[in-house]
Each structure stands twice: as C-alpha cells, then as structure tokens.
Amino acid sequence: MKPAVIDTDPGIDDALALLLAWNSPELRVEALTTVAGNVPVDLASTNALRLLALRRPSPSPLVAVGASSPLARPLTTATRYHGEDGLGDLGDWPAVASPPTSPDAATVIVDAARRHGRELTLVALGPLTNVALALKADAESVGRIGRLVVMGGAVDVPGNVTPTAEFNMHVDPEAAHRVLAAGLPLELVPLDATRQAVLPRAGLHAALAQSPGPVAGRIQAFAERAFRIGHADGEQGMALHDPLAVGVAFDPSLVKWEAVRLAIGPDGETMRVSGMPNCRVARAVDVDRFFGLFLDRLCPPTSRRPASS
Ligand code: RIB
Ligand code: CA
C-alpha cells in the first residue's frame, strides 16, 4: 500500500476517480488537496467533503484547500459539463462543514513529500497550480517523490477546450510549464489515453445495479449530467479522464508508456519537442481490464466494502 495525495477539482470525473481510489487497496490516500478548475476552489472543497461524507473511506483523508486561481491568469471553469456546483447540480446533498482553513494544499503536498519521499505517489486531477506552488515552497522535497501522475494534455489528439489544448493544462499553462521543468518523475495521462476509456451510461448503470443503495444512487444521479452533456456533444458515454489517472496510479501496466519531451504552449498546448524526455506519456490503454477494475471498485456490494462503510 503506497501513501498517496490526490490534488483535485471535483468535478464529476474527479468524484468517480476519488471513489475508485478509496476502494483501491494499493493506495493509502492520506490527503485530498483541492484546486480551482472545474469549479471555484470553495466548491471543489465542498464537493470533496460531500464525497467523503458519502463514502466514508478509512482512513479518512485530510482535506486541504488550495489555489483559488491559476498562477498568472483568470480562472476558466467547466461548469457547463460538471454543473454550477461541480457535481451535477443535484441540489439535495446533505450539508457538510466548511473545509479547514489551514494547512493549505501546497503545505500538505510539501509535508507529504518530506515524510514519504520516494514512497509518495502524487496524483493531480486538475490544473497544476497547487503542484507548482508546492515546488515554489520546497522544490528539493517535492523533487524526491516517487511518482507524479497527472491527468492532462493532448499530445497527438485534438484538445477539449481549444483545438490543441486540454482543460487542465489550458487553465494554468504557467503551472504546467513549471511542473514540467522541475524534473519530477512525471507520468502524463492525456486525452490520447483517456478518450479510449469512454464508459457508456448503460455500463455504469449495470454495475451500480449490482450494489443498490445510497452510494450507488448518488453516483448514478451526479454522473447523469456528464452523460447528458456528453451525448448532446455526440459522445458515446463519459470519458473516464480522472479515473484512468487513478487507475494508472495503482496499476501502471494498464497503459503502454512512451518517453517524451514535451513543452507547454501559451494556451496550454502539450507539444512534442526534441531533447531528452521529461516525462512518460500514457498511450494504448487496456480498456477492458481498466473498466473491469473501475466498475468492480467504484461501488462494490456492501459485502465487499471495507469495514468503515
Ligand atoms: O480534460 C479533462 C480534465 O479536465 C479532467 O480532470 C476534468 O475533471 C477536468 O478537470
Ligand atoms: Ca479534474
């Protein structure tokens, strides 16, 4: 079991990724750090707490609030897809407490890096603002982590915000540039890979029907907006962007890797450039095996859930 910190901007696919992570025995998620992205950071933090209250993982991770805006530009959100509240605008979530005001996300990331070093897996599911701020605070400690798994980028495929840029990189290109330049053990899970993992609505519903109850019902409800918007945009289902990054965090063999040198363009483009590789990029995905793991672990029947549930 490896210690992990997940930086996230929940976000419907982030929510599915967190539920997957909490049911994956290979990872011990000791902290969630929230970042402005899909929604403003206060909503991202509320959503992290909502999901913790829904699933009650054990151990329960610390929640640390992070950057409220990108390093050097105004925030672009993705509320059209995720809803104004970031989780499908259901309107009936039980109330949760306000997130703690300290320590902040960068402090928590640096602290985890200092304590765990090479044992730590840092998973970034949103814009890289918090990771860049952690590097600014203590690059030496953050540079010692074992793995940085990032959902983001569009290397040889079109972007999803501009024709050439993927959302997480587009929101904060300055942060992405600093992270790429830091020499971290960076594993990028771009749209090239995540678009191979498009889950049909019926597939999710069939899996949730195996474990009826409040968790399954809530997952089906908040996921519905993503399916609805996706189908309106001509998609065959929901691309499991962030869940695939978590999948790779606990099982890197789920994808084939390519060592690449990337540079970040002014709009967050992830461009191949010449020179020594500065990351490895997920390419072909073992989609059947990934879907099996995802659907098996997202909301297992209560008989197979950890004692905390
Ligand atoms: O481009 C997909 C990424 O942007 C995912 O992390 C999704 O949650 C959004 O943040
Ligand atoms: Ca995300």
Side-chain angles (χ1 to χ4, degrees):
M1 183 177 271
K2 291 275 189 185
V5 171
I6 300 182
D7 190 72
T8 180
D9 61 335
I12 291 172
D13 64 320
D14 299 70
L16 297 176
L18 294 177
L19 290 162
L20 172 63
W22 290 331
N23 255 352
S24 295
E26 302 85 350
L27 299 173
R28 186 180 76 250
V29 181
E30 67 174 45
L32 302 182
T33 53
T34 59
V35 64
N38 288 321
V39 289
V41 71
D42 57 331
L43 274 176
S45 306
T46 296
N47 289 339
L49 291 169
R50 284 170 168 170
L51 293 161
L52 277 171
L54 175 70
R55 184 66 193 79
R56 292 181 297 113
S58 176
S60 182
L62 168 74
V63 174
V65 178
S68 57
S69 71
L71 293 184
R73 60 184 65 202
L75 175 63
T76 303
T77 61
T79 52
R80 170 182 175 271
Y81 183 84
H82 296 275
E84 286 304 315
D85 78 346
L87 285 181
D89 287 340
L90 299 181
D92 62 348
W93 287 90
V96 290
S98 303
T101 52
S102 72
D104 70 8
T107 303
V108 166
I109 292 170
V110 166
D111 173 62
R114 285 174 180 163
R115 281 185 292 112
H116 297 299
R118 288 268 166 269
E119 284 302 296
L120 183 67
T121 297
L122 175 57
V123 184
L125 304 178
L128 291 172
T129 318
N130 289 339
V131 181
L133 291 171
L135 283 164
K136 185 177 177 185
D138 184 348
E140 195 272 329
S141 298
V142 176
R144 289 207 313 266
I145 68 173
R147 297 172 67 202
L148 170 60
V149 180
V150 170
M151 191 281 136
V155 181
D156 300 320
V157 299
N160 59 357
V161 184
T162 77
T164 51
E166 174 278 330
F167 178 80
N168 288 337
M169 299 297 173
H170 177 74
V171 168
D172 199 341
E174 286 77 13
H177 171 76
R178 292 186 193 188
V179 170
L180 210 53
L184 297 175
L186 174 56
E187 303 178 23
L188 192 71
V189 184
L191 296 181
D192 310 57
T194 62
R195 280 187 177 138
Q196 298 171 47
V198 176
L199 182 68
R201 179 197 267 121
L204 179 65
H205 289 190
L208 294 175
Q210 303 300 310
S211 47
V215 178
R218 184 61 45 167
I219 293 171
Q220 185 159 314
F222 72 66
E224 185 49 30
R225 183 182 176 101
F227 286 119
R228 194 171 71 244
I229 301 289
H231 287 149
D233 293 348
E235 306 293 340
Q236 299 307 305
M238 184 193 322
L240 296 182
H241 302 299
D242 291 341
L244 183 59
V246 165
V248 158
F250 66 71
D251 185 347
S253 73
L254 282 169
V255 301
K256 296 295 184 207
W257 295 99
E258 178 189 359
V260 181
R261 185 172 188 83
L262 292 178
I264 304 293
D267 253 357
E269 302 88 345
T270 38
M271 304 170 294
R272 290 173 179 273
V273 291
S274 59
M276 286 297 289
N278 53 10
C279 64
R280 68 175 185 169
V281 174
R283 306 295 301 169
V285 181
D286 185 341
V287 178
D288 290 344
R289 193 156 70 85
F290 168 61
F291 277 170
L293 283 165
F294 173 73
L295 293 172
D296 223 22
R297 296 184 180 194
L298 180 68
C299 181
T302 44
S303 58
R304 283 194 291 118
R305 275 205 201 133
S308 68
S309 59

